[in-house]
Amino acid sequence: MTRSRSTRLGGLAAITAALVAIPMGVTAPAAHAVVGTPAADGTHAFTANLVIGDHQRGCSAALVSPEWLLTAASCFADDPAVSLAVPAGKPALKTVATIGRTNISTTAGQVRNVVELRPHGTRDLVLARLAQPVAGIAPVAIASTAPAAGQQLTTAGYGRTAQDWAPEKMHTGAFAIDSVNTGDLTLSGQSGAAVCAGDTGGPAFRIVNSKPELVAVNSRSRQVGCFGIEAPEGTANTAVSTRVDDVRTWISSNSKQTPSQDYNGDGRSDVATWYDYADGSDKVHVWAGGTTGALQLPTVAYSAAAGTWNMANTKRVTGDFNGDGRSDIGVFYGYADGTVKLFRWLSNADGTFASIVTSWTSTTWTFDRMEPRTGDYNGDGRDDIAVWYDYADGSDKLFTFLAKEDGTFNAPFSSWERASGWTFANIKLTTGDYNGDGRDDLAMMYFYSGGEVKMITLPSLATGGFQDTQVQGWSSTTWGTFERTSVQSGDFNGDNVDDIASWYDHGDGSDAIITFTPGDTDGSLDIRKEAWTTGPGNYTRDNMRLFGGDFNGDGRDDLAANYGYDTGTLKMITWVAKADGTFNEPLHGAEKTSGWDYNRMRVFGH
C-alpha cells in the first residue's frame, strides 16, 4: 500500500481535562505509527492499520476474532472532542483495514473492508466487522484479570513518529501503568515512547505465558515527542487507554463469526425451504439452528396465494445481499413467454422476509441454461450471484450480478468464459473462499468422460469476475459416478478457509463424507480426508438434500440434510463438525410425520 499525503485524524481532538489539552493532528498529513521501536516484520500481526474515508482519518486496531477488530469509537465519531457517539451499522465513510502487515510498503498480511460498527456506548470502544474473516492470523486474547498500577504494557500502532509523518513500519513502545480507573488507564511512556496521531485504537497489551494479552486500547495522549508537537519542557508523555478486561463478555458476545444462512441474526445458521402445496399456494419456511446443531421445527417466513408461483420454474439462492449480517433469499423465475426475472426478499430480525422486490429482467436468457451460485465475489461484505450459463454450442460463461447496498443487484457482466471442452452436466458446482483472500471463489468436481474426477477452483478477482486459468487440485480415476456424489462448501475445521465436503453413496449401499481441503494459498483443493462413514442401508442419497452451515454457532460449519423416508416422514439431520474437520454421528432434529411431501420441498442453496 502506498503512502498518502491526504489529511487524517489520529483520534480525539483533545485530551481529558486531567491532562494538558493538545490537539491530535486535526489537519495533519497521513501518518502511520507509536513513537518507539519499529516492529520486526511479522510481529504483533494482530495489529491492524485503518484508513477511514479518502484518508480523512487514520487509526490502528486489534484483531480480536477472525471477523472483528476492536478499536476506538473516536476514530469514527463525527467530532470526538464533543461526543464519542457512533451509530451502529455501516461506517459513514469507507473504511479499509490491513491486518498483519508490519511494513506497510509490502504486500504482506490481508486487506479487508469494514462493513459494520458495534459501539460500546459508554467507552471509547467500537467493534468493526470485516467483510470476510481473516485467515492465518491469530487474534489477540482479551485480558481476564484487571491491570494494576506499575505493570508494564506494550503499545503498537501505525501513527506518527518523532521523525516521520508517514513511517514505513508499525512501531511499538513500552508504557507503565500509572493508575487504573473505572473504564480506563493512565500510562506513562518509557524511554521516550508516546502515543501519536494515527495510534488511536491500537492495542496496549502485556505478555502472559509467552503470549500477548490485550489490556486496553489507545484513546488519547499528550503526544509529547510526536512529529510536529512542541510541548513545554518537562511535560510528561502520558496517555489514556480504554480498559477491555472488564468488558470482555461484551467483546466476545459481539465478535462471533457471522454464519451463512443466518436469517434471524442469532449467530447460528438456519435452513430456508420452499414448499409447493397441492392447492398451488407456496410458502417459505425457516428451520432455525439450535444450540446443539439440531434444526428446529419450521416457522412460516413468506406465503403466496395459489397461482403466484410454479416451483418448477424457480432457481433459489440465499446470501447476505445487503451486508447487514442476516441472510436473504432470491429467486430466478422463468416465465412461459421466455422472460426471466430475479426477485429478492430481505430478511427481518424475526426470521421472516420483507416484501418481494424485482431486481433484474431479461428476455434474452434461457432459464434452463442458467445455474446460479451466491458468494461475496468482490469482497465488499455483500453476497453476489454468479450464474453459469451453458450455451447450446457447447461454450460456457459465467455472469456476475454484484449486489448493491439495498440488496438488489447490478446488471450482470461477463466474468469468465470457456469456448469448449467442458460439459456442464458433468459438473458439481459450489462456492467458498478457498484461498483465504476474503473473496469467495467457485469450485467444481468435474467428471471426465474417461472416468477421471478432478477438483478445480476458479479464484475470484477484485472485480467480482474469475481468474482465466483454473487451479487444479485432487484427481482420481477410481472415484466413481456423478450420480452418487453431492458436494457442499463450508469451513469444517474452523481455520477460516473453506473446504468441500462430498457425500458419496457407494455401490454396496454404504456412505461416506469425504472432505477436500486447500493445501496451498492458491485455493487448490488437494487434501482428501475421509471424515465420516456409515454402513449399508442407512441412507439413500436420492432421498436427501445436503446443505452446509454453522448450525450450533461454534465457528465451524456443519453438514445437514433434508431427508425423506419411504414411510413419508420428513426429517432434518445434522452432522456436527469436529475441530479436526471430521464429523460427529448424525443428530436428528425437526421431524414431520404427516402432511408434508419431500418431493414438494426445495432447499435454498448458495
Side-chain angles (χ1 to χ4, degrees):
M1 183 172 68
T2 56
R3 288 177 293 158
S4 168
R5 296 289 172 177
S6 303
T7 301
R8 299 172 64 187
L9 286 172
L12 289 177
I15 203 161
T16 57
L19 301 173
V20 177
I22 298 177
M24 288 290 286
V26 176
T27 59
H32 295 278
V34 172
V35 170
T37 305
D41 288 345
T43 57
H44 314 315
F46 55 82
T47 307
N49 178 34
L50 295 180
V51 176
I52 302 170
D54 185 18
H55 292 271
Q56 283 102 317
R57 297 185 179 187
C59 281
S60 302
L63 186 74
V64 293
S65 82
E67 197 176 9
W68 291 87
L69 299 174
L70 183 64
T71 187
S74 48
C75 295
F76 299 94
D78 288 340
D79 186 351
V82 175
S83 171
L84 296 179
V86 176
K90 181 183 176 182
L93 298 174
K94 179 180 179 181
T95 302
V96 179
T98 303
I99 308 101
R101 184 178 297 177
T102 310
N103 187 332
I104 62 169
S105 66
T106 70
T107 58
Q110 298 175 46
V111 180
R112 299 287 189 271
N113 290 332
V114 172
V115 295
E116 181 187 354
L117 300 177
R118 292 186 183 177
H120 180 270
T122 60
R123 294 191 185 182
D124 190 12
L125 289 176
V126 67
L127 283 161
R129 180 165 67 93
L130 305 173
Q132 293 279 359
V134 169
I137 299 175
V140 64
I142 307 299
S144 58
T145 58
Q151 286 184 349
Q152 298 293 306
L153 300 181
T154 298
T155 65
Y158 290 86
R160 222 172 284 165
T161 66
Q163 296 80 26
D164 297 308
W165 285 106
E168 292 287 338
K169 288 190 173 184
M170 174 179 73
H171 279 59
T172 62
F175 286 78
I177 299 177
D178 293 336
S179 62
V180 178
N181 312 304
T182 302
D184 60 37
L185 309 173
T186 303
L187 308 177
S188 290
Q190 309 295 292
S191 303
V195 173
C196 299
D199 296 323
T200 299
F205 57 93
R206 62 193 177 196
I207 302 299
V208 178
N209 296 325
S210 302
K211 292 184 178 180
E213 188 178 84
L214 187 66
V215 174
V217 164
N218 296 333
S219 178
R220 51 209 187 272
S221 92
R222 293 175 182 266
Q223 300 191 86
V224 174
C226 300
F227 192 99
I229 300 295
E230 294 185 8
E233 186 175 351
T235 302
N237 53 349
T238 50
V240 175
S241 293
T242 306
R243 286 177 61 181
V244 301
D245 62 285
D246 55 344
V247 292
R248 66 196 310 266
T249 300
W250 172 78
I251 294 170
S252 62
S253 62
N254 282 279
S255 60
K256 295 178 180 178
Q257 186 165 325
T258 305
S260 63
Q261 297 162 233
D262 180 6
Y263 300 108
N264 56 12
D266 67 354
R268 296 187 293 267
S269 294
D270 315 305
V271 176
T273 58
W274 184 291
Y275 197 88
D276 179 32
Y277 288 87
D279 66 358
S281 63
D282 295 88
K283 288 182 180 178
V284 174
H285 297 90
V286 170
W287 311 65
T291 55
T292 64
L295 291 158
Q296 311 301 300
L297 286 169
T299 57
V300 176
Y302 165 79
S303 300
T308 306
W309 304 98
N310 179 353
M311 188 174 72
N313 294 353
T314 65
K315 295 182 188 287
R316 301 149 308 280
V317 294
T318 182
D320 183 4
F321 301 134
N322 63 353
D324 66 354
R326 297 191 306 269
S327 288
D328 315 302
I329 59 173
V331 167
F332 284 95
Y333 195 80
Y335 290 86
D337 65 358
T339 301
V340 179
K341 289 188 177 183
L342 170 58
F343 301 98
R344 72 100 173 102
W345 294 257
L346 295 180
S347 61
N348 297 316
D350 61 359
T352 62
F353 295 101
S355 300
I356 185 173
V357 172
T358 304
S359 183
W360 173 79
T361 302
S362 173
T363 58
T364 60
W365 287 40
T366 302
F367 178 77
D368 291 337
R369 294 191 173 278
M370 301 167 56
E371 189 65 29
R373 293 291 186 273
T374 55
D376 183 5
Y377 301 119
N378 62 355
D380 65 356
R382 300 187 296 271
D383 283 325
D384 315 302
I385 301 176
V387 172
W388 187 293
Y389 200 92
D390 181 31
Y391 286 90
D393 64 1
S395 62
D396 296 273
K397 269 190 178 182
L398 283 167
F399 293 90
T400 302
F401 295 73
L402 293 178
K404 301 178 184 179
E405 291 186 8
D406 64 357
T408 60
F409 298 90
N410 290 287
F413 66 92
S414 177
S415 52
W416 179 88
E417 60 184 298
R418 186 179 177 95
S420 62
W422 284 356
T423 302
F424 185 74
N426 294 351
I427 293 174
K428 299 284 187 179
L429 189 65
T430 185
T431 184
D433 182 7
Y434 309 112
N435 56 12
D437 66 355
R439 299 188 302 268
D440 285 319
D441 316 303
L442 285 174
M444 67 186 78
M445 180 178 274
Y446 192 85
F447 293 74
Y448 291 87
S449 57
E452 184 182 16
V453 178
K454 186 176 290 186
M455 302 299 298
I456 299 171
T457 307
L458 297 178
S460 63
L461 304 170
T463 60
F466 299 91
Q467 184 176 298
D468 288 335
T469 304
Q470 64 267 24
V471 176
Q472 304 288 329
W474 170 91
S475 64
S476 172
T477 57
T478 60
W479 172 265
T481 65
F482 180 90
E483 293 78 16
R484 293 184 176 276
T485 306
S486 299
V487 298
Q488 188 65 230
S489 286
D491 179 12
F492 303 116
N493 58 8
D495 66 354
N496 300 305
V497 178
D498 284 322
D499 320 300
I500 288 181
S502 173
W503 181 285
Y504 191 77
D505 185 13
H506 292 281
D508 65 356
S510 63
D511 295 87
I513 299 173
I514 298 170
T515 57
F516 299 91
T517 302
D520 202 341
T521 55
D522 63 357
S524 55
L525 293 152
D526 45 20
I527 301 175
R528 179 189 185 278
K529 176 190 282 187
E530 197 165 88
W532 180 82
T533 60
T534 188
N538 293 322
Y539 295 95
T540 301
R541 197 193 73 89
D542 290 344
N543 290 7
M544 64 194 304
R545 300 184 182 98
L546 200 68
F547 40 89
D550 183 5
F551 302 113
N552 61 357
D554 67 355
R556 296 188 298 270
D557 283 321
D558 315 303
L559 278 180
N562 166 222
Y563 197 88
Y565 290 87
D566 294 338
T567 60
T569 297
L570 187 149
K571 188 178 287 186
M572 291 290 187
I573 305 172
T574 307
W575 288 261
V576 173
K578 302 178 184 179
D580 63 356
T582 62
F583 297 92
N584 288 287
E585 290 302 305
L587 182 65
H588 288 217
E591 177 179 323
K592 289 285 187 178
T593 58
S594 62
W596 288 55
D597 183 346
Y598 174 80
N599 294 313
R600 289 187 171 276
M601 181 186 293
R602 296 292 184 271
V603 175
F604 281 82
H606 61 95

